[in-house]
Amino acid sequence: MSKVSSVVVPYAAYLRVYEPLGAFPEPERSHWTRYARRRERPSYQDELRRSLADLLPTPPVAVPVQESGDAFVLEVDGVVCVCPWRTRLRGWLALGGLAEELPPPVLDAALPEVVRRQAAQDYERWLARNPDARPWIRTATWQVPLNWFVLVSHEERRYDKGTADVPPVLRYRTPMVQARRRVARGLRTLKDTVEEGPLIDGLVDVGRWLEEFHPRSLVELDYGGLVHVLPAGELEDDHSAADVAAGIEALRRGDGTAAGEAYGRLVERWRSVRDRRSAN
């Protein structure tokens, strides 16, 4: 991996899928095979900095002109798995949701309407040629969506405090088959016990997304830049996946009190992150 930059871009968390090399058709498979042999590869911070740098020119570049040839790489039990960045596709998808995130004056100042309209037209033409395209990475700013925690278990949690030269890490990693199984179980319980709402809708959506990938893939939930926003003590005490699992299990048992307590812990924990977002 590349060395840590002195400029840190916080706020974003990630849900990634790493597919085995055999899942990619040629010539893409050969490209990723060569790429995985590199000794130096960019980090998620490098990816985010590149995206933000595109917003500096006048007019800003809403979506990269060329698709990224970079990826994240893992080797597990001798199997090389790759998570392509697909920065251009993700840029188009993110652009489609900006109107819901930003007030119109702020959106127009950051990305003028003519830039957004051109990007939307480019995406329509590209999608007509690539109807089955999907991103390997989902990004969330200032939060980790609760439905993401359903995919992982507390036992898969990894937390490293980091050093002066290496940033802290908080992430979960699980086999695809486990993630799909947890989604199915969670949905059954939620649909039987609570009304339709954002948690169920989000879990249905992420479950459909997981079905697009090879069954021997790996799923990674990474706090990413959020580790630079949360104090070390809060990171060490963050057991959100355990709280989500406890809440769903309590609902399955019909224990509304225990489910409410688990939900309360989650709300309190993530309130501090939302407060920092409001302060900025």
Side-chain angles (χ1 to χ4, degrees), residues 31-45:
H31 168 76
W32 294 131
T33 300
R34 293 190 298 270
Y35 184 91
R37 298 193 189 110
R38 295 184 183 180
R39 297 187 64 180
E40 294 285 334
R41 294 189 294 269
S43 70
Y44 78 89
Q45 284 282 307

Side-chain angles (χ1 to χ4, degrees), residues 175-189:
M176 177 63 77
V177 291
Q178 287 281 25
R180 290 175 178 171
R181 186 176 297 119
R182 289 166 184 150
V183 168
R185 290 174 178 171
L187 277 175
R188 281 198 300 269
T189 297

Side-chain angles (χ1 to χ4, degrees), residues 68-124:
S68 172
D70 286 305
F72 300 112
V73 180
L74 289 176
E75 183 171 346
V76 180
D77 298 328
V79 178
V80 176
C81 295
V82 175
C83 176
W85 284 10
R86 288 296 190 273
T87 308
R88 195 176 193 218
L89 171 58
R90 289 164 55 214
W92 276 319
L93 295 175
L95 194 61
L98 277 182
E100 300 176 2
E101 295 288 333
L102 299 175
V106 176
L107 180 58
D108 289 338
L111 288 171
E113 183 179 358
V114 63
V115 174
R116 303 198 306 273
R117 185 167 57 248
Q118 181 61 57
Q121 293 171 353
D122 292 343
Y123 180 47
E124 289 180 4

Side-chain angles (χ1 to χ4, degrees), residues 6 11 32 72 83 107 112 124 126 128 131 135 154 196 228 265 278:
S6 60
Y11 320 142
W32 294 131
F72 300 112
C83 176
L107 180 58
E124 289 180 4
W126 182 89
H154 177 69
E196 293 287 335
H228 302 288
R265 291 193 296 271
S278 300

Side-chain angles (χ1 to χ4, degrees), residues 43-261:
S43 70
Y44 78 89
Q45 284 282 307
D46 295 318
E47 178 203 14
L48 188 51
R49 278 190 289 268
R50 291 179 193 175
S51 299
L52 294 177
D54 284 341
L55 299 179
L56 297 179
T58 303
V61 179
V63 176
V65 177
Q66 300 294 329
E67 186 55 273
S68 172
D70 286 305
F72 300 112
V73 180
L74 289 176
E75 183 171 346
V76 180
D77 298 328
V79 178
V80 176
C81 295
V82 175
C83 176
W85 284 10
R86 288 296 190 273
T87 308
R88 195 176 193 218
L89 171 58
R90 289 164 55 214
W92 276 319
L93 295 175
L95 194 61
L98 277 182
E100 300 176 2
E101 295 288 333
L102 299 175
V106 176
L107 180 58
D108 289 338
L111 288 171
E113 183 179 358
V114 63
V115 174
R116 303 198 306 273
R117 185 167 57 248
Q118 181 61 57
Q121 293 171 353
D122 292 343
Y123 180 47
E124 289 180 4
R125 288 192 291 268
W126 182 89
L127 194 60
R129 301 190 302 270
N130 303 272
D132 298 324
R134 82 284 198 225
W136 278 256
I137 305 172
R138 290 190 167 199
T139 304
T141 54
W142 288 105
Q143 63 168 328
V144 178
L146 292 186
N147 63 77
W148 289 10
F149 289 114
V150 178
L151 279 57
V152 297
S153 75
H154 177 69
E155 291 72 25
E156 294 159 345
R157 179 181 185 271
R158 174 195 165 193
Y159 172 61
D160 289 336
K161 294 182 179 180
T163 65
D165 299 320
V166 179
V169 172
L170 179 53
R171 57 100 169 142
Y172 300 78
R173 194 175 289 158
T174 192
M176 177 63 77
V177 291
Q178 287 281 25
R180 290 175 178 171
R181 186 176 297 119
R182 289 166 184 150
V183 168
R185 290 174 178 171
L187 277 175
R188 281 198 300 269
T189 297
L190 291 171
K191 289 181 177 181
D192 289 343
T193 57
V194 300
E195 296 180 359
E196 293 287 335
L199 180 56
I200 292 179
D201 293 343
L203 198 52
V204 168
D205 178 59
V206 79
R208 289 173 177 165
W209 178 63
L210 294 180
E211 292 295 332
E212 297 288 332
F213 300 98
H214 193 281
R216 296 188 65 185
S217 302
L218 294 171
V219 180
E220 180 180 74
L221 191 168
D222 183 0
Y223 273 50
L226 288 182
V227 299
H228 302 288
V229 180
L230 296 169
E234 291 184 24
L235 282 172
E236 194 163 3
D237 293 336
D238 185 318
H239 301 289
S240 294
D243 287 329
V244 169
I248 292 176
E249 175 60 21
L251 288 173
R252 189 190 64 80
R253 299 194 313 265
D255 188 344
T257 300
E261 291 173 351

